[in-house]
Amino acid sequence: MPLDDTLAPSGLNSLGLPKKPADTRVVVAMSGGVDSSVVAAMLAEEGYDVVGVTLQLYDHGAALARKGACCAGRDIHDARRVAEAVGFPHYVLDYESTFRDSVINEFADSYLAGATPVPCIRCNERVKFRDLLGVAKDLDADCMATGHYIRRYMGPNGAELHRAADAARDQSYFLFSTTREQLDYLRFPLGGLASKAETRALAARYGLAVADKPDSQDICFVPSGNYAAVIEKLRPGAAEPGDIVDELGNVLGHHGGVLHYTVGQRRGLGIGGLGEPLFVVRLDPDRRHVVVGPREMLQTRRVVLKELNWLGDAPLDGEQEVLVRVRSTRQPVPALVRATEDGAEVTLLTPEEGVAPGQACVFYAPEGTRVLGGGWIRRAA
């Protein structure tokens, strides 16, 4: 079974490197789950010099952690068990302080500013693909492999990022900020698999104890999906009460804190009996206002982005046709994108609902599966 769909010239190993597997050191980022465990076992079976590294990202005994989340106590134990069973070295590195400063604090501050952040992207960007990748290079590894469902191809102008073969498992939305330099060094052996069932079958064949382990949740440090509880723990007293208003500023009700609401929310507003259904269309934390309106007010055609990461072959010059995904659960839709001085501006050819500041807007080629990068949503109009 090929590890990657890359068509490499003769003389390169399955990871696209000009070395025998035994002479190729690969650091595998191990979360303790089935995906990264299969990657490590697969590469070890092929004869690669595998080194497993797990990052402890938070105190697994603290209230922020939850049973079954990645990068905490049980999962570190599971990663170590896989390494011992397969027979390769495994290291655990304490990155709790880095994770708190680079991911958790920004998550809390973004919510308090009225945004809807995606901490998993920041974790990949600022911890796994920056700090852990640096550790891999310090260990003299030739590349670093992860269990992400995304594909890396070699194109005419270098390494390219492509959506996973299994659309249901595709993680390209969470990896849009991967840089060209990082992509040169990274490998994603599971990106070409047809389904998660195939991954679990491989885990069973390798005899891994995690073969039937449930998937971890996206946001590992949020217990039961209760964002507000986490933010209130991190920022005591931050949930200041305010008003629920319409677009004209008329007070329709009251709330216990802006952080309890997200753009597009309909349920739990506590303002029933006003006729047509109302949705959260905007958050104004400075005034402590939750602005609501009819569903059509959620429709967006223009999206302003910051922190643009462009992976196209040529610089983004003028207006370019792309497909964009404005939330991880949405399908890519046609759009036009043009670079600006501090990011990019996207024009959606068909309006999208519930486009929220703090989310990512990811670009794809109009044809095929290539990921062209993306940016962070600063505002929507």
Side-chain angles (χ1 to χ4, degrees):
M1 183 193 69
L3 293 177
D4 198 318
D5 289 339
T6 302
L7 298 176
S10 178
L12 301 183
N13 61 32
S14 62
L15 294 177
L17 298 167
K19 289 183 173 184
K20 295 179 180 178
D23 300 324
T24 304
R25 175 167 292 176
V26 185
V27 162
V28 178
M30 299 186 68
S31 67
V34 63
D35 298 326
S36 57
S37 297
V38 165
V39 168
M42 181 190 298
L43 295 175
E45 183 184 58
E46 284 200 37
Y48 286 98
D49 178 12
V50 172
V51 178
V53 176
T54 300
L55 301 182
Q56 179 176 319
L57 298 181
Y58 50 82
D59 179 0
H60 61 270
L64 290 182
R66 69 170 167 220
K67 184 178 180 181
C70 71
C71 309
R74 178 68 197 180
D75 301 282
I76 291 171
H77 171 74
D78 287 343
R80 182 181 292 117
R81 207 161 45 138
V82 167
E84 290 174 351
V86 177
F88 57 83
H90 174 255
Y91 302 98
V92 178
L93 305 180
D94 183 356
Y95 270 64
E96 183 180 344
S97 177
T98 299
F99 186 67
R100 182 177 61 248
D101 294 343
S102 299
V103 180
I104 295 180
N105 283 338
E106 184 187 84
F107 171 83
D109 293 339
S110 294
Y111 252 104
L112 293 177
T116 307
V118 191
C120 301
I121 299 176
R122 288 302 196 193
C123 181
N124 290 325
E125 176 186 299
R126 296 177 174 177
V127 182
K128 294 176 182 176
F129 288 0
R130 185 187 68 185
D131 296 337
L132 179 53
L133 191 145
V135 169
K137 291 183 176 180
D138 289 342
L139 291 172
D140 293 325
D142 295 284
C143 63
M144 186 175 90
T146 80
H148 289 104
Y149 287 86
I150 195 166
R151 289 179 286 182
R152 175 188 180 275
Y153 289 156
M154 286 303 297
N157 296 297
E160 300 175 355
L161 206 58
H162 285 254
R163 282 184 276 176
D166 180 6
R169 305 296 305 180
D170 174 56
Q171 292 176 293
S172 59
Y173 182 86
F174 300 98
L175 298 172
F176 83 89
S177 60
T178 305
T179 66
R180 291 179 180 276
E181 182 181 5
Q182 292 166 346
L183 194 53
D184 285 340
Y185 194 69
L186 290 165
R187 300 296 187 272
F188 308 106
L190 302 185
L193 298 188
S195 68
K196 183 62 177 271
E198 193 172 343
T199 305
R200 292 195 183 278
L202 285 169
R205 182 167 74 80
Y206 296 135
L208 304 182
V210 296
D212 296 321
K213 185 175 181 177
D215 291 340
S216 62
Q217 299 297 318
D218 282 343
I219 302 181
C220 56
F221 58 90
V222 179
S224 305
N226 191 340
Y227 306 133
V230 171
I231 296 165
E232 288 178 307
K233 183 177 181 66
L234 293 168
R235 302 288 187 270
E240 298 182 278
D243 296 326
I244 299 175
V245 302
D246 63 18
E247 190 65 22
L248 298 177
N250 299 310
V251 176
L252 306 179
H254 307 283
H255 64 77
V258 171
L259 60 86
H260 294 282
Y261 300 85
T262 58
V263 172
Q265 180 177 336
R266 176 186 173 187
R267 297 182 182 278
L269 300 182
I271 53 172
L274 296 177
E276 65 180 327
L278 297 176
F279 299 79
V280 176
V281 298
R282 185 163 52 85
L283 299 172
D284 187 343
D286 293 334
R287 297 181 180 180
R288 302 201 298 274
H289 281 177
V290 173
V291 184
V292 299
R295 184 165 190 162
E296 55 264 26
M297 288 187 66
L298 288 172
Q299 294 189 338
T300 296
R301 277 194 178 273
R302 190 171 70 90
V303 185
V304 179
L305 308 181
K306 61 181 180 179
E307 298 180 51
L308 178 68
N309 182 50
W310 181 251
L311 294 173
D313 291 330
L316 181 57
D317 186 19
E319 204 165 53
Q320 183 161 332
E321 294 183 8
V322 295
L323 298 177
V324 301
R325 179 180 281 167
V326 294
R327 282 186 183 268
S328 62
T329 55
R330 304 277 177 85
Q331 289 300 312
V333 297
L336 300 174
V337 59
R338 66 176 182 85
T340 61
E341 191 172 313
D342 57 353
E345 187 172 298
V346 173
T347 302
L348 299 166
L349 301 188
T350 302
E352 284 277 289
E353 290 186 355
V355 180
Q359 293 281 300
C361 178
V362 181
F363 310 149
Y364 301 90
E367 298 179 356
T369 59
R370 187 173 180 184
V371 183
L372 297 177
W376 292 93
I377 298 173
R378 187 167 62 189
R379 67 177 182 271

